[in-house]
């Protein structure tokens, strides 16, 4: 029984690494095969199609308060360490997300790949704003 825990932990780490590499690797491969601009365009089209099919139906119509309150809990199975703070600024409610453990960054660093921020986070921000879910603004970024 004691040997099962390391095996399960190892399997979890393998799955998290594969998850962490999937989008950044696809992004980089498309840029190599199709050229930087066309590769980025194709990647964004794929991301948008997946977003419309998989995520948009689940979050469309959910209030931003509910969505932001769910963010921390939904991120934990993927090993993100995420904190969401709600504040009032200039009479408007805003949320700050602080992320200090990203499986995408961990995996890309391990294999000396470029930062995953563009294909993962920035694409998410663009899609969430495009479909009227929320407006995201990068306040600080430290890898």
């Amino acid at each position: 029984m004691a040997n099962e825990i390391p095996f399960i932990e190892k399997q979890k780490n393998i799955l998290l690494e594969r998850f962490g590499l999937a989008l950044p690797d696809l992004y980089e491969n498309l840029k190599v095969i199709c050229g930087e601009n066309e590769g980025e365009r194709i990647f964004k089209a794929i991301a948008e199609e997946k977003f419309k099919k998989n995520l948009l139906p689940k979050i469309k119509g959910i209030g931003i308060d509910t969505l932001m309150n769910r963010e921390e809990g939904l991120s934990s199975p993927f090993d993100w360490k995420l904190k969401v703070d709600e504040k009032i600024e200039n009479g408007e409610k805003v949320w700050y997300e602080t992320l200090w453990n990203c499986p995408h960054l961990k995996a890309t660093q391990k294999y000396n790949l470029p930062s995953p921020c563009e294909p993962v986070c920035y694409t998410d921000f663009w899609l969430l704003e495009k479909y009227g879910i929320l407006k995201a603004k990068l306040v600080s970024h430290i890898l």
Side-chain angles (χ1 to χ4, degrees), residues 97-114:
E97 280 190 359
T98 304
L99 176 67
W100 66 91
N101 185 53
C102 172
H104 300 288
L105 181 60
K106 191 183 290 185
T108 56
Q109 286 178 332
K110 180 178 177 180
Y111 293 97
N112 296 315
L113 295 170

Side-chain angles (χ1 to χ4, degrees), residues 45-65:
I46 292 168
E48 185 169 8
E49 191 60 27
K50 286 181 71 172
F51 177 84
K52 289 188 309 189
K53 284 181 181 175
N54 300 327
L55 189 59
L56 190 58
K58 294 175 185 168
I59 63 174
K60 193 74 172 170
I62 293 176
I64 189 74
D65 288 329

Side-chain angles (χ1 to χ4, degrees), residues 5-142:
I5 294 172
F7 176 77
I8 291 170
E9 190 67 26
K10 184 177 179 179
Q11 293 302 310
K12 176 186 170 197
N13 290 338
I14 289 169
L15 290 172
L16 284 172
E17 186 175 281
R18 286 183 183 168
F19 163 76
L21 287 174
L23 291 176
D25 195 42
L26 175 62
Y27 181 72
E28 293 304 321
N29 286 333
L30 284 169
K31 290 190 321 183
V32 168
I33 292 168
C34 304
E36 189 153 339
N37 291 335
E38 184 65 3
E40 185 176 329
R41 186 195 69 73
I42 292 169
F43 179 86
K44 284 185 172 183
I46 292 168
E48 185 169 8
E49 191 60 27
K50 286 181 71 172
F51 177 84
K52 289 188 309 189
K53 284 181 181 175
N54 300 327
L55 189 59
L56 190 58
K58 294 175 185 168
I59 63 174
K60 193 74 172 170
I62 293 176
I64 189 74
D65 288 329
T66 302
L67 190 62
M68 295 308 293
N69 287 328
R70 290 180 182 173
E71 186 74 4
E72 285 181 75
L74 293 174
S75 65
S76 60
F78 297 101
D79 214 23
W80 275 289
K81 302 295 183 248
L82 178 74
K83 183 176 183 226
V84 177
D85 293 308
E86 181 181 315
K87 298 183 179 201
I88 302 292
E89 294 180 2
N90 300 319
E92 187 175 54
K93 195 182 293 190
V94 297
W95 290 266
Y96 287 91
E97 280 190 359
T98 304
L99 176 67
W100 66 91
N101 185 53
C102 172
H104 300 288
L105 181 60
K106 191 183 290 185
T108 56
Q109 286 178 332
K110 180 178 177 180
Y111 293 97
N112 296 315
L113 295 170
S115 163
C117 304
E118 183 67 36
V120 179
C121 294
Y122 301 159
T123 299
D124 285 351
F125 296 162
W126 166 69
L127 289 167
L128 289 165
E129 192 164 323
K130 179 177 180 176
Y131 287 90
I133 305 301
L134 58 82
K135 290 186 179 185
K137 177 179 162 185
L138 182 62
V139 176
S140 174
H141 186 232
I142 302 169

